[in-house]
Amino acid sequence: MRLIGEGAEARIYAGTILGFGMAIKTRHRKNYRIEILDSELRRLRTRNEARIMLRLAGSGIRVPRLFAVGRFSIYMEMLDGILLRDADIYASHMHSAGVMLGRMHSQNVAHGDFTPANLMLCGRGLYAIDFGLSMMGNSTEEKAIDLLLMKRAVDPKLYKSFIKAYSGSAGAADIIKRSEEMERRGRYQVRTLAAV
Amino acid sequence: MIVLGLESSAHTFGAGVVKNGRVLANEKSMYRIGSGGMIPAKVARFHAENARFVIEKALESSGLGFVDIEGIGYTKGPGLGPCLQVAQLYAKTMARRLKVGIAPVNHCVAHIEITRHTEGLRDPVMLYVSGGNSQILKLVETPYLHYRVIGETLDIGVGNMLDAFARKMGLDPAWGSSVERCADKGRYIKLPYNVKGMDFSFTGLLTKASGLIEHKESNDLCFSLQETSFSMLCEATERALMLTKSREIGLCGGVAQNKRLADMLRAVAEEHNARFGCAPNEFNADNGAMIAYVAEKMLASGFSIGPEGCDVKQRYRSNEARVFR
C-alpha cells in the first residue's frame, strides 16, 4: 500500500479492491498516550466517522462510498479529482458547496472543517471528504462554525454565492444569524471571561 | 543593561535581576494556599509585607545595589488585580526614585520568552500551561511581532482543574504536584476527553472525576485525570505543530513542572523529529527573572513609557502584547 496523505491523527493509503481504487484511512497509534486511552479514542473516532459517512451517503450527499470499516481503519472509494483548494474556484462551485452543506445540516451533521481543502472536484461533481472532526447532533453553534470556517477560507465574493445557496435549506436563517453573532462576539473575547 | 523584574500576579512575589540577558538573581516568596483557594486581598497583603525583603534579597544575591539598576519591569497582567498592584506600585515608585525606564510585561509572554531563551528555541509551537491559562501559541510578524493564540482552553486552565480536584480529594493543594505524586501506579479509568481542533476544555473532566471520588481509588483517579488532560493537550499541540510546520515544541508555565506532561510532549516532538524544550523549574514557577528578561529587551529596543502610563490589566491576553527581539 502506498501512503498518499498524512494528517495529525490518521494516514491515508491507496489500494485496490475488485479493480476499484480504494483509499484506506487508518488512525495510527500515538505513543505519547497510554495504550488503553489511545485505542479507545481511535476506535470511537473511526466508528463515528464511518457512521456519519453512511448517514450522508444514505441521504444522497456526495461522499466517498464506504467499502468496509475496521477497528481503526475506514476502507472507502478512491476519488479521482482535485481538491477545490488547488483548483480555480468559481461561484458555481461555491453554489454546490452551499447546497451540500445545507443538506448536511438538515441531516444533523456538522462537518467540523468545511473548507476548500476538504472538498473535491470530481467528474460527477463536488464531493465532501474528511469527516474526522464531524459531529452528529442538532447544535446551532457547531453548524454555524461550518459557515465561519468557510468564510475565513475563501474571498468575500465567493462566500456570498455560498451563503446564497446555503440559505435555501431549512433552518438556514437561524444558523446564519448565529454565525454572525459569533463573529461579532469575537473568537477570543468570549473565552477570556472564563480564562482568567 | 541591568534590569530588575517584579512579579506578583498570583501566589508568588518574585524579584529577579537580569544583566544583558543573563539571570543574576531570582528570588521569591510564596503564599501558602489554605483549603479555600486564593483570596486576592489576603494574598496581596502577604505580597506587600514580603516585597521589600524579596527585592533586597535579589539585589544581595546578584551582588548589586539599588543604584546599579538601569531599568525596571513588572507584570502588567494577566492575574489577580490586588496582587498585580503590589509589583506595579513597587516598580513605579522605584522607577521614579531611580529615574530609570519602566516596562509593563505580559506574564504569559514572559514565561514563553524565558523558555525560548534558556532552551535556544527559535520559532516553536509553545504550549503554555498554568493555573489560569492553557494556550498553544506561535510567533507571528504581522501587524507587529506577537504571539498568536492558535488553540486554548474553552473554560478553565489545566492547573486550575488539577488544583480544584486535589482540594476536593483532600490532598495538599500544592499546585498540582500532589496529584502527580498520587498518580503513581494508578490504573486507567475512562473520563471525558474533549478536544475540538486545537482547543480543549476541562470542566467536564473535572465534574466527572469529582463525582467518582467516593467510588474509586484516589491514585487511579489522579492517574486517569493526568493521562486524559495531558493527552488532550498533547493532541492539540501535535495538530498545531503539523498545521504550522514548525520544527520545535516548547513547554512552559506552572504545570510544565509536571514530569509526566513533559515526557508526553517530548514523545510528540520525537515522533515528528522536532526539537523539544522545557525550561528549568525555576522559570516555570512564577518568577521575577522572566519579567526582568522581557523588560530588558523592551527597554533596550527603545520602548519607553512614563510611570503614569503603567497600569495593570487582569485580563491581559498573551496575543495583545508586543514582542521585542
Side-chain angles (χ1 to χ4, degrees):
Chain A
M1 285 191 302
R2 194 165 47 91
L3 185 70
I4 53 170
E6 183 162 13
E9 63 168 357
R11 299 193 174 113
I12 315 260
Y13 297 93
T16 54
I17 184 169
L18 302 172
F20 288 104
M22 177 167 66
I24 302 149
K25 177 171 182 173
T26 301
R27 286 180 161 76
H28 51 273
R29 167 97 175 94
K30 293 287 171 189
N31 288 312
Y32 61 84
R33 288 195 288 237
I34 51 172
E35 215 278 326
I36 180 168
L37 168 61
D38 186 62
S39 57
E40 178 78 354
L41 283 171
R42 290 188 292 144
R43 189 177 64 83
L44 289 176
R45 287 176 182 180
T46 303
R47 196 173 68 180
N48 179 60
E49 184 170 2
R51 273 190 184 161
I52 284 173
M53 288 175 74
L54 270 181
R55 176 185 282 206
L56 295 181
S59 58
I61 295 165
R62 288 202 183 102
V63 299
R65 238 178 319 161
L66 209 59
F67 293 152
V69 183
R71 206 164 137 79
F72 305 126
S73 301
I74 294 177
Y75 301 81
M76 60 190 144
E77 167 191 18
M78 172 74 84
L79 294 176
D80 183 21
I82 61 166
L83 290 179
L84 193 57
R85 184 189 59 193
D86 304 328
D88 292 327
I89 308 179
Y90 296 113
S92 61
H93 298 140
M94 295 312 289
H95 180 87
S96 311
V99 172
M100 179 192 269
L101 190 66
R103 288 168 66 188
M104 224 182 264
H105 286 177
S106 312
Q107 293 295 318
N108 278 333
V109 171
H111 185 282
D113 195 11
F114 200 74
T115 63
N118 284 326
L119 287 167
M120 194 171 246
L121 267 176
C122 304
R124 281 166 292 179
L126 198 65
Y127 278 71
I129 57 170
D130 193 357
F131 297 87
L133 293 172
S134 303
M135 283 188 24
M136 256 186 266
N138 200 12
S139 155
T140 308
E141 191 109 349
E142 295 298 334
K143 293 176 183 175
I145 288 171
D146 280 345
L147 300 182
L148 286 176
L149 284 177
M150 182 59 92
K151 184 168 189 180
R152 219 181 295 164
V154 298
D155 80 54
K157 247 176 136 174
L158 290 171
Y159 184 69
K160 235 179 180 167
S161 322
F162 172 76
I163 276 297
K164 202 173 154 204
Y166 177 78
S167 61
S169 63
D174 282 347
I175 296 162
I176 295 172
K177 203 172 132 219
R178 176 67 69 91
S179 79
E180 284 161 0
E181 272 169 35
M182 287 170 76
E183 212 173 14
R184 266 200 303 279
R185 75 191 185 206
R187 186 163 175 206
Y188 293 123
Q189 282 154 25
V190 188
R191 301 167 181 193
T192 330
L193 296 174
V196 173
Chain B
M1 195 174 193
I2 296 167
V3 176
L4 172 73
L6 303 179
E7 147 70 30
S8 66
S9 62
H11 49 60
T12 302
F13 186 93
V17 182
V18 162
K19 183 183 182 182
N20 302 331
R22 239 179 43 142
V23 177
L24 299 183
N26 197 11
E27 301 291 340
K28 59 188 82 167
S29 83
M30 212 182 278
Y31 179 80
R32 288 293 297 172
I33 296 173
S35 57
M38 280 190 275
I39 299 164
K42 269 194 178 172
V43 187
R45 175 167 300 166
F46 171 86
H47 289 334
E49 284 162 4
N50 287 282
R52 225 191 90 192
F53 306 110
V54 180
I55 295 170
E56 281 171 356
K57 213 166 136 201
L59 285 169
E60 198 187 304
S61 50
S62 67
L64 299 165
F66 275 101
V67 288
D68 298 318
I69 296 170
E70 295 168 292
I72 293 182
Y74 72 96
T75 309
K76 173 174 170 172
L80 304 167
C83 300
L84 289 168
Q85 283 172 348
V86 178
Q88 177 210 23
L89 181 65
Y90 267 88
K92 281 166 82 165
T93 311
M94 288 173 70
R96 276 212 179 90
R97 288 289 291 276
L98 297 165
K99 296 194 170 58
V100 296
I102 181 168
V105 176
N106 181 295
H107 180 91
C108 317
V109 168
H111 270 298
I112 299 170
E113 287 289 283
I114 195 83
T115 303
R116 223 155 55 83
H117 176 62
T118 63
E119 303 309 299
L121 301 171
R122 284 194 57 238
D123 190 12
V125 165
M126 289 296 309
L127 176 62
Y128 168 60
V129 276
S130 67
N133 276 293
S134 296
Q135 301 179 320
I136 300 169
L137 313 100
K138 187 159 183 303
L139 272 177
V140 287
E141 301 269 354
T142 50
Y144 48 80
L145 193 66
H146 71 287
Y147 282 97
R148 195 176 133 199
V149 179
I150 44 185
E152 69 178 314
T153 176
L154 298 168
D155 40 50
I156 57 173
V158 65
N160 216 327
M161 188 271 290
L162 293 171
D163 281 356
F165 185 74
R167 276 201 296 277
K168 283 184 184 173
M169 289 256 308
L171 300 172
D172 175 18
W175 12 106
S177 61
S178 50
V179 175
E180 184 176 9
R181 256 177 280 125
C182 183
D184 193 38
K185 297 198 181 73
R187 283 162 306 169
Y188 176 71
I189 300 166
K190 197 180 165 188
L191 293 171
Y193 185 101
N194 209 343
V195 177
K196 279 189 172 181
M198 283 173 290
D199 296 330
F200 29 83
S201 72
F202 295 113
T203 42
L205 181 56
L206 177 60
T207 308
K208 177 78 184 175
S210 304
L212 292 173
I213 289 177
E214 309 268 294
H215 313 287
K216 302 277 184 187
E217 295 291 330
S218 55
N219 56 340
D220 291 351
L221 276 175
C222 287
F223 174 78
S224 309
L225 196 66
Q226 277 201 162
E227 289 301 321
T228 308
S229 57
F230 294 170
S231 294
M232 285 161 54
L233 291 167
C234 286
E235 182 182 348
T237 310
E238 181 183 35
R239 199 164 283 152
L241 184 77
M242 294 205 70
L243 193 88
T244 59
K245 298 189 170 66
S246 171
R247 309 298 312 147
E248 298 166 325
I249 297 180
L251 173 65
C252 65
V255 186
Q257 297 170 77
N258 187 304
K259 239 190 120 291
R260 177 65 182 144
L261 177 58
D263 286 345
M264 286 170 79
L265 205 58
R266 188 176 294 113
V268 173
E270 274 165 13
E271 197 165 316
H272 294 274
N273 292 320
R275 266 195 69 203
F276 175 76
C278 179
N281 280 350
E282 163 188 14
F283 298 117
N284 283 325
D286 288 352
N287 66 92
M290 65 179 190
I291 303 297
Y293 173 76
V294 175
E296 189 193 8
K297 286 215 275 186
M298 291 170 79
L299 294 167
S301 40
F303 175 90
S304 131
I305 183 173
E308 314 74 41
C310 287
D311 53 351
V312 298
K313 192 171 178 188
Q314 297 196 63
R315 292 174 184 172
Y316 186 24
R317 283 185 58 84
S318 36
N319 54 337
E320 290 172 55
R322 191 171 185 147
V323 175
F324 293 81
R325 287 201 201 277

